[in-house]
Amino acid sequence: MMISVCIYGSVARQRTDELSDRDVLILAPSKEDAFEECSDWQATGWNASFFTYQHFARLVEFQSLFVQHIKLEGRIIRDDKGRLRQYLEKFAPASSYIEDLKDALLPLKWVNPGELCYWARLCVGDILFVATRNAGILHAAGLGRFIYDYGAVVEHLAQAFEFDSAQRAALLALRGIKVAYRARSTGIGVETVLEDAIGALTIVRAAVDRLECEAPKGFVANNYHALRRTELALVKVTDPRELDRLPAEGRLFELWRLICNPSDYPKLRGSGGLVQPILIQPSTRPNAAFF
């Protein structure tokens, strides 16, 4: 089986701490081959993103900053026939990512930490973490800077948009909330973090909304926002630890598995019929027949 494997992120940068993920990219000719290799890495605690070679070529074509991340910081440990290196040699970033930047900030239209339960507030923190990271990476790239470390991303945004100390601290704190949510940790206090983080990102969004997109690339939605809205609707009424224990049958199991593994981008992009924003009445308990 021909595959390419590349370690990236904080492990590749050799700047890890207790909150760091271990990120690895898997490329293979088919989704089945990629998934097989991915499963082996996940079994040893790695956060694996996997693509077919064809799909990764599309990321190169659309000038995805994920490819730039791999090109600048990735550590290739296997590359059959040099396929990944060939893609990276072809890649050049775009001069503008305004269209993508506006998309990254879309959750500000629908997240509201107001009267949410504990797990839903942690879920909002996770969603805001992703929005902050992506917005910072994209905004910096538009200025010719390519940064991927989360702390550096927050510093970039804080300087560019003149955040106060509470807003800066809140954005940094989102990383810990994200880790706590995904580890299903209890007793994590978020206090005013979410409100201050939303305040900071609202400043960014107000500035970005005034920008005109330059040479649109024909942006293609990948259902990610619909997936996160559905996740938030579910954890408003159900402990995510119960969802983690769903039996392997029914569409809700498949959806929750996709929610917990959004790095399966090819599957996510083709999941329009499965991923739909949902509204669940407070008295409703989701089950395998819900979808």
Side-chain angles (χ1 to χ4, degrees), residues 176-233:
I177 294 172
K178 179 265 294 188
V179 172
Y181 173 64
R182 298 185 189 187
R184 306 296 187 244
S185 300
T186 58
I188 304 299
V190 298
E191 300 171 345
T192 62
V193 169
L194 300 184
E195 289 78 5
D196 287 336
I198 289 173
L201 292 176
T202 299
I203 295 172
V204 180
R205 184 184 169 202
V208 169
D209 282 347
R210 294 193 294 267
L211 300 176
E212 295 291 333
C213 297
E214 299 177 10
K217 301 186 297 295
F219 188 85
V220 180
N222 65 3
N223 291 317
Y224 178 76
H225 294 304
L227 186 78
R228 297 312 302 261
R229 292 186 72 175
T230 301
E231 176 184 9
L232 182 57

Side-chain angles (χ1 to χ4, degrees), residues 35-281:
F35 183 77
E36 180 180 345
E37 181 70 18
C38 174
S39 298
D40 293 339
W41 283 84
Q42 288 176 329
T44 56
W46 287 81
N47 179 34
S49 299
F50 62 96
F51 301 86
T52 64
Y53 285 114
Q54 181 182 17
H55 189 82
F56 194 78
R58 291 285 287 168
L59 295 183
V60 173
E61 178 186 348
F62 277 85
Q63 298 175 294
S64 166
L65 285 174
F66 177 71
V67 181
Q68 179 75 343
H69 187 180
I70 300 301
K71 183 173 183 175
L72 292 180
E73 299 184 354
R75 180 157 56 90
I76 297 174
I77 61 174
R78 177 175 173 179
D79 191 21
D80 296 346
K81 297 186 178 180
R83 291 285 298 274
L84 176 55
R85 287 183 175 86
Q86 291 172 25
Y87 290 131
L88 298 180
E89 288 172 1
K90 293 178 182 178
F91 180 81
S95 59
S96 171
Y97 286 94
I98 296 173
E99 194 173 5
D100 306 78
L101 180 52
K102 291 183 177 183
D103 180 79
L105 294 167
L106 282 179
L108 292 177
K109 293 184 176 181
W110 47 266
V111 295
N112 181 2
E115 298 297 323
L116 296 181
C117 65
Y118 172 78
W119 289 114
R121 285 177 67 81
L122 260 61
C123 180
V124 167
D126 189 340
I127 291 167
L128 293 176
F129 164 82
V130 175
T132 301
R133 180 196 62 196
N134 291 349
I137 289 171
L138 291 159
H139 184 269
L143 300 174
R145 297 184 60 202
F146 301 101
I147 52 176
Y148 296 93
D149 174 79
Y150 185 71
V153 164
V154 170
E155 290 301 325
H156 169 80
L157 290 173
Q159 293 180 23
F161 296 96
E162 300 181 345
F163 296 154
D164 62 33
S165 59
Q167 291 169 331
R168 175 185 173 278
L171 293 182
L172 289 172
L174 292 176
R175 181 168 174 251
I177 294 172
K178 179 265 294 188
V179 172
Y181 173 64
R182 298 185 189 187
R184 306 296 187 244
S185 300
T186 58
I188 304 299
V190 298
E191 300 171 345
T192 62
V193 169
L194 300 184
E195 289 78 5
D196 287 336
I198 289 173
L201 292 176
T202 299
I203 295 172
V204 180
R205 184 184 169 202
V208 169
D209 282 347
R210 294 193 294 267
L211 300 176
E212 295 291 333
C213 297
E214 299 177 10
K217 301 186 297 295
F219 188 85
V220 180
N222 65 3
N223 291 317
Y224 178 76
H225 294 304
L227 186 78
R228 297 312 302 261
R229 292 186 72 175
T230 301
E231 176 184 9
L232 182 57
L234 286 169
V235 299
K236 282 180 180 178
V237 297
T238 305
D239 188 319
R241 294 170 296 182
E242 293 184 25
L243 294 167
D244 293 339
R245 295 191 291 267
L246 284 170
E249 58 185 27
R251 300 188 76 196
L252 184 55
F253 170 81
E254 289 294 329
L255 175 59
W256 188 248
R257 184 168 65 173
L258 184 57
I259 285 170
C260 294
N261 295 279
S263 58
D264 186 358
Y265 293 114
K267 184 174 181 180
L268 177 58
R269 189 171 295 279
S271 63
L274 177 64
V275 179
Q276 296 292 336
I278 59 175
L279 296 176
I280 304 178
Q281 297 301 320

